[in-house]
Amino acid sequence: MKNQSQTLFQKDLVNEAIKQSFVKLNPKIMFKNPVMFLVEIGTVVMLIVSLFSLTGDKSQGSFSYNFLVFVILFFTVLFANFAEAIAEARGKAQADTLRKTREETPAKVVVSNKQGFQVETVMKKSAEMKLGDIFLCEAGDQIPMDGEIIEGLATIDESAITGESAPVIREAGGDKSSVTGGTKVLSDRIKVKVTTKPGESFLDKMIALVEGASRQKTPNEIALTILLAGFTLTFIIVTVTLKPFADYAQTPITIAAFISLFVCLIPTTIGGLLSAIGIAGMDRALRANVITKSGKAVETAGDIDVLLLDKTGTITIGNRKATQFHPSNGIQLDEFIKASALSSVADETPEGKSIIELSQLKSEDLLVPNPVYIDFTAETRTSGIDFENTRIRKGAYDTIKKLTEKAGNIFPSETQEAVTRISENGGTPLVVSVNEKVWGVIELQDIIKTGIQERFQRLRKMGVKTVMVTGDNPLTAKFIAEKAGVDDFIAEAKPEDKMNYIKKEQQEGKLVAMMGDGTNDAPALAQADVGVAMNSGTQAAKEAGNMVDLDNDPTKLIEIVEIGKQLLMTRGTLTTFSIANDVAKYFAIIPALFITFIPALQKLNIMNLHSPESAILSAIIFNAIIIPILIPLALKGVAYKPIGASALLRRNLLIYGLGGIIAPFFGIKLIDLVISLFY
């Protein structure tokens, strides 16, 4: 997606948007926007008045004047429709690009699955595949459907989805097992289990989302629509009450003047741009390579207070690697290395694989009779192997300590010292026991990502508290937290600890964001107000979150927060600007209505407009043209800077509040000078 053109007004998109502007004149469509619907009714009334003027009756003004008012109002509605249509057209263009990616891909479906790649396959179209099917992909094959790798590893080109040309490695086991339909296998081979139904794939969801088919108004957008409808109702009452005042003052007011006043006073600017702002917010998120399941998630991101993020792969580079073996006294180094390697044979995690790499033992060296492998779980926090009368366990310091002490064995002091030393240096100690006796400790090391401190500093300026979540012991966690510059940390974290922390913060009235990629992150992602799952993560994580990051960049939340804040600010500032405009329009139109018959009102004519007709025309022309002028701002969003909420508010009130009052005075006066040449 990154390689797509960022031009706001491409010729083909503009042509499509112009066509849709007329299609959207349908009252059934217009009714969804109460402000612009009433402007459309006013436009129809002015057409009738214009036709009535042709009969020779001059009580409502000349035909040319009435028709000109009708044309201006008609363009006001068209401009509002165009704003929404251009935002939708940009989304549809993205959808078309994605459609090209989603082809009818042939798939090698496994008939009867068994271990290895020597299995019988049958060719099927991707559309014929169903949930739970297993397919085979080799170098050069396009992945037909979304799924999870159950066997093998491969280099995959995801540029069709992410826009990123650099290939990525996906493998069975761990949290990088997910693959997306439409991507391509570059090397090796994999066996994949389909995790989605036809028509519900990741690409299908993306297409529906960017086309606007699944776009629902956010709670904030609905609330603002109701508020604008309330304003509009108020101004209907204001406009209607002018009639008896005019009759009392023996001042005839034309229908054109009433409708013009009403259209100018109601918040047409924000009414016309509201949908475009919402669609553009979703569009900006997609251009940042983030798929959002709803506009509400983007809005909420703009208001988050706390961010929870995993240490491994987020704050640190990828996975921890085994760097050194520290045997206990009386244990031979080579014996300890072999025990450590044996405990990691069934460990599919990168840490487990790095232990075997560091041991430099061959697979034949690790053969034992009748092995029973013990898988790692978040609860036990240990893994290992049982064979004959030998029980080897590898796990966290506190877990192995409890295990050995329960068996009546003493935890060696030299291993205790090694554990403390490793932890203080920012490493992770993994203690190995054989038959419930401690044999030593394996040192794992993390490397903190470059520039991460600056990114956390930026989040702090935004008012977001960062919390690092890790399964490490408190000493290691503290070292990494201080080095990375996070505000707080949760050490020795179990899946429920993340949940409890999120719930605690939410009970205090805070909005919490969580980033994760594993199945164990799914409950926390679902609980968080904003759950961002990595695209490379498991299917469970992607289903639980309300956003998916295609780049698998855990610091992406900074951009997500900025997009959210930008969406809220754009809507707020343009609403302020729209309402501020009414002040100038009031001073333009009200004196124009009464000045001929009540000369004392001349003092209100501070703009000194040429005539009542030119004043009304100037006001409604300005009211119309300000919509297309603001379309680029609605699509791009108001610039956000992390300078604090109060400073931002002052800045935006000065620019859009005060600017919204001043701009129409100059604009209307300038238009009046031009009109006075003709009227």
Side-chain angles (χ1 to χ4, degrees):
M1 245 78 70
K2 285 177 180 172
N3 54 2
Q4 287 183 7
S5 173
Q6 299 294 308
T7 310
L8 284 178
F9 300 108
Q10 295 170 35
K11 190 181 175 183
D12 53 339
L13 298 187
V14 170
N15 292 339
E16 176 62 22
I18 291 169
K19 190 173 84 176
Q20 285 300 315
S21 302
F22 287 91
V23 173
K24 288 177 182 287
L25 290 171
N26 184 341
K28 287 182 180 176
I29 299 170
M30 291 296 297
F31 189 73
K32 293 174 184 176
N33 187 340
V35 176
M36 297 318 298
F37 179 64
L38 285 170
V39 177
E40 186 176 42
I41 290 173
T43 308
V44 173
V45 171
M46 280 314 302
L47 178 63
I48 295 165
V49 171
S50 302
L51 296 171
F52 181 74
S53 304
L54 284 172
T55 60
D57 191 325
K58 300 292 180 186
S59 63
Q60 295 300 323
S62 66
F63 168 76
S64 61
Y65 169 67
N66 284 319
F67 187 74
L68 196 54
V69 171
F70 157 72
V71 170
I72 297 164
L73 293 182
F74 182 67
F75 272 98
T76 306
V77 179
L78 278 184
F79 288 151
N81 287 349
F82 179 81
E84 184 176 7
I86 192 74
E88 287 176 352
R90 294 177 82 213
K92 284 174 181 171
Q94 284 185 306
D96 291 337
T97 307
L98 291 168
R99 258 196 206 91
K100 289 173 187 173
T101 306
R102 189 192 62 182
E103 297 170 351
E104 271 301 313
T105 313
K108 300 170 192 166
V109 179
V110 176
V111 177
S112 178
N113 189 38
K114 59 182 181 182
Q115 197 72 17
F117 293 91
Q118 300 303 314
V119 289
E120 188 187 345
T121 60
V122 61
M123 297 301 286
K124 277 189 183 180
K125 290 180 180 176
S126 54
E128 295 171 354
M129 296 175 74
K130 57 186 189 292
L131 189 70
D133 277 353
I134 295 168
F135 61 87
L136 202 66
C137 270
E138 297 174 297
D141 291 350
Q142 194 160 14
I143 295 170
M145 288 282 281
D146 295 4
E148 287 209 30
I149 301 171
I150 57 171
E151 197 175 334
L153 86 167
T155 311
I156 294 171
D157 176 11
E158 294 184 344
S159 58
I161 305 292
T162 66
E164 182 58 59
S165 56
V168 294
I169 294 170
R170 298 281 175 264
E171 59 183 321
D175 296 334
K176 300 220 183 300
S177 60
S178 182
V179 290
T180 309
T183 57
K184 192 175 181 181
V185 177
L186 297 179
S187 71
D188 303 287
R189 53 188 177 178
I190 48 174
K191 207 184 277 179
V192 183
K193 188 176 183 178
V194 177
T195 53
T196 56
K197 294 175 184 174
E200 294 179 13
S201 71
F202 198 61
L203 269 176
D204 290 313
K205 287 175 182 174
M206 282 170 70
I207 291 164
L209 193 74
V210 296
E211 278 189 323
S214 61
R215 189 183 108 84
Q216 293 177 323
K217 284 189 176 181
T218 65
N220 280 349
E221 202 173 334
I222 292 166
L224 187 55
T225 304
I226 293 167
L227 180 68
L228 296 179
F231 272 144
T232 305
L233 184 64
T234 305
F235 284 119
I236 288 176
I237 297 164
V238 168
T239 310
V240 168
T241 55
L242 280 178
K243 178 65 177 156
F245 282 114
D247 289 345
Y248 179 76
Q250 296 181 338
T251 305
I253 300 177
T254 62
I255 293 170
F258 272 123
I259 289 174
S260 298
L261 176 67
F262 172 68
V263 168
C264 284
L265 290 184
I266 64 174
T268 48
T269 309
I270 185 63
L273 296 171
L274 191 57
S275 290
I277 294 166
I279 296 166
M282 298 279 282
D283 183 63
R284 279 196 298 278
L286 190 61
R287 287 177 189 275
N289 275 1
V290 176
I291 302 298
T292 57
K293 294 181 183 177
S294 69
K296 185 185 175 185
V298 180
E299 274 186 0
T300 308
D303 283 331
I304 67 155
D305 305 293
V306 182
L307 164 63
L308 259 73
L309 64 175
D310 278 329
K311 181 201 73 174
T312 308
T314 306
I315 294 167
T316 59
I317 292 173
N319 305 294
R320 293 168 297 189
K321 277 199 167 184
T323 54
Q324 206 172 342
F325 295 107
H326 302 271
S328 303
N329 291 345
I331 305 295
Q332 295 293 322
L333 179 61
D334 56 345
E335 286 180 2
F336 175 59
I337 291 172
K338 188 172 181 180
S340 302
L342 280 168
S343 70
S344 307
V345 169
D347 189 347
E348 287 292 324
T349 65
E351 289 92 342
K353 290 173 183 175
S354 76
I355 292 167
I356 293 174
E357 278 176 30
L358 186 65
S359 73
Q360 294 183 336
L361 293 172
K362 297 173 183 172
S363 53
E364 53 263 29
D365 298 330
L366 300 172
L367 292 173
V368 292
N370 304 318
V372 177
Y373 298 110
I374 313 298
D375 293 331
F376 177 87
T377 66
E379 292 301 318
T380 62
R381 296 175 70 209
T382 62
S383 61
I385 185 172
D386 290 350
F387 60 96
E388 295 182 328
N389 295 319
T390 307
R391 297 174 302 283
I392 305 174
R393 293 292 182 274
K394 172 192 77 193
Y397 154 71
D398 56 335
T399 309
I400 300 294
K401 189 179 180 183
K402 284 176 188 171
L403 185 75
T404 54
E405 288 178 350
K406 192 179 176 182
N409 296 315
I410 298 165
F411 198 93
S413 58
E414 67 277 8
T415 303
Q416 180 77 59
E417 286 167 15
V419 166
T420 307
R421 192 168 59 251
I422 292 165
S423 300
E424 285 173 346
N425 291 329
T428 302
L430 279 182
V431 183
V432 177
S433 71
V434 179
N435 295 338
E436 292 75 47
K437 287 181 182 176
V438 174
W439 272 34
V441 60
I442 307 164
E443 183 176 348
L444 303 177
Q445 278 293 343
D446 288 296
I447 302 165
I448 291 170
K449 288 183 177 179
T450 52
I452 201 86
Q453 292 100 329
E454 290 78 10
R455 303 207 78 172
F456 287 144
Q457 189 64 36
R458 189 171 172 85
L459 278 167
R460 202 170 288 113
K461 284 181 181 175
M462 290 180 190
V464 179
K465 177 187 174 185
T466 49
V467 181
M468 181 184 83
V469 181
T470 176
D472 292 341
N473 63 72
L475 273 173
T476 306
K478 187 172 183 284
F479 179 90
I480 301 270
E482 286 174 356
K483 206 169 173 185
V486 293
D487 300 309
D488 200 1
F489 64 90
I490 306 169
E492 296 177 343
K494 296 187 183 84
E496 60 266 26
D497 294 334
K498 299 174 193 177
M499 283 276 291
N500 294 336
Y501 189 91
I502 292 168
K503 284 176 181 175
K504 181 172 78 70
E505 292 287 351
Q506 286 172 333
Q507 282 165 3
E508 291 173 13
K510 293 176 181 175
L511 292 174
V512 184
M514 162 81 190
M515 302 201 73
D517 55 4
T519 303
N520 64 330
D521 295 324
L525 286 168
Q527 179 65 36
D529 300 285
V530 177
V532 185
M534 302 291 117
N535 189 39
S536 62
T538 61
Q539 193 65 27
K542 289 198 280 188
E543 289 294 331
N546 46 21
M547 290 189 187
V548 178
D549 176 23
L550 298 175
D551 291 336
N552 308 304
D553 176 10
T555 57
K556 181 63 70 67
L557 198 90
I558 296 172
E559 287 175 68
I560 294 169
V561 170
E562 286 184 346
I563 289 164
K565 286 187 183 295
Q566 207 178 25
L567 175 61
L568 295 169
M569 278 169 49
T570 305
R571 196 182 289 140
T573 50
L574 289 184
T575 303
T576 306
F577 184 86
S578 180
I579 293 167
N581 275 196
D582 290 348
V583 176
K585 294 167 193 172
Y586 176 88
F587 280 105
I589 294 179
I590 295 293
L593 296 179
F594 295 98
I595 207 163
T596 309
F597 296 89
I598 310 174
L601 287 176
Q602 182 64 43
K603 289 180 181 178
L604 284 177
N605 189 18
I606 56 176
M607 283 186 267
N608 196 26
L609 300 176
H610 177 67
S611 68
E613 285 84 4
S614 75
I616 288 168
L617 287 173
S618 301
I620 59 173
I621 288 171
F622 179 85
N623 191 62
I625 62 171
I626 199 69
I627 296 173
I629 289 170
L630 291 173
I631 285 174
L633 187 65
L635 296 180
K636 289 172 76 175
V638 174
Y640 172 75
K641 291 179 181 176
I643 56 175
S646 301
L648 268 176
L649 183 63
R650 281 196 301 273
R651 171 176 160 257
N652 289 336
L653 279 175
L654 185 69
I655 297 170
Y656 298 96
L658 190 62
I661 294 171
I662 295 168
F665 280 96
F666 287 100
I668 290 169
K669 180 64 183 174
L670 194 66
I671 295 166
D672 181 72
L673 290 171
V674 176
I675 289 174
S676 64
L677 300 171
F678 305 96
Y679 267 91

